[in-house]
Amino acid sequence: VAVGLHDGAWRWSYKRDVPRTSTDLAILGAPTPVVAGDEVLTGFADGSVVGLDLATGGLRWDAEVGVGKFPDVQSEIVVHNGLYIAAGFGGPVVALDARSHAVRWRTEQAGASSSMILSGGSLYTSDSRGRVQALNPDTGAIEWTWEFKDRQFGPPVRAGGWILVGDVAGTLYALDRFEGTLAWKYLPEDGTHIAGIAAGVAVAGRQLLVPTAAG
């Protein structure tokens, strides 16, 4: 939905029909729309990514990205060097040509269950299989993978030489952003139960701030 910033008036809306049966599951949430030039880029629960006219909301193009049982697109589209990079909840990560919308690269062994970040020449993702990965944004090649099986991670965040990521079981991890190795992990020493970290970590100077599922 597009709403006027100064008057709050409705401008346009776009609705995508996402067919679901009574036994299908959909992941709650959706990616924040991204404006690229005169287009609005976003994804939907059917695994599709669309380009909408910024002025009218008309559909200019769409492409299938997410596949499998959970095709839902949860991560914002990343704009990089003439590419639109998108990911399905269960994979893959796909780069579309910004002009032709043809697939430039496709990485089946990666996905994104939350926001991806582009930083320092690498694309960082966390997925539904308990993996945090660094990809080359120009080729899709996987630079490293850190895995903690059966964990669900929140979005990765860069802080200097680290990639910070929390899991829904309540632990915060710091990974070396160049090697993908575990530098440290945090659990409260006073026994505070923080339940889960599903949101992105905020970095303020030498301090990390994060809301938890325990309130």
Side-chain angles (χ1 to χ4, degrees), residues 13 18 20 64 74 78 87 93 106 111 126 146-148 167 172 177 200-201:
S13 66
V18 180
R20 293 282 182 182
E64 181 180 315
Q74 294 288 294
V78 174
V93 180
R106 180 185 182 96
S126 57
W146 182 77
E147 185 171 10
F148 197 147
D167 71 29
L172 179 67
R177 80 174 185 90
V201 177

Side-chain angles (χ1 to χ4, degrees), residues 107-132:
T107 303
E108 299 287 350
Q109 299 78 26
S113 54
S114 55
S115 298
M116 302 182 287
I117 59 167
L118 181 64
S119 182
S122 294
L123 180 73
Y124 299 97
T125 73
S126 57
D127 70 17
S128 60
R129 304 172 193 174
R131 301 180 302 187
V132 180

Side-chain angles (χ1 to χ4, degrees), residues 63-65 80-86 93-107 136-141:
E64 181 180 315
V65 171
H80 169 73
N81 284 352
L83 300 175
Y84 295 156
I85 305 174
V93 180
V94 176
L96 305 173
D97 185 279
R99 291 188 177 183
S100 68
H101 314 120
V103 174
R104 292 271 292 273
W105 57 257
R106 180 185 182 96
T107 303
N136 183 313
D138 296 309
T139 66

Side-chain angles (χ1 to χ4, degrees), residues 14 16-20 25-27 42-50 62-74 88:
Y14 170 81
R16 189 166 189 86
D17 292 325
V18 180
R20 293 282 182 182
L25 296 176
I27 309 299
T42 194
F44 292 90
D46 61 352
S48 62
V49 171
V50 304
D62 61 357
E64 181 180 315
V65 171
V67 298
K69 185 178 181 180
F70 295 108
D72 313 56
V73 176
Q74 294 288 294

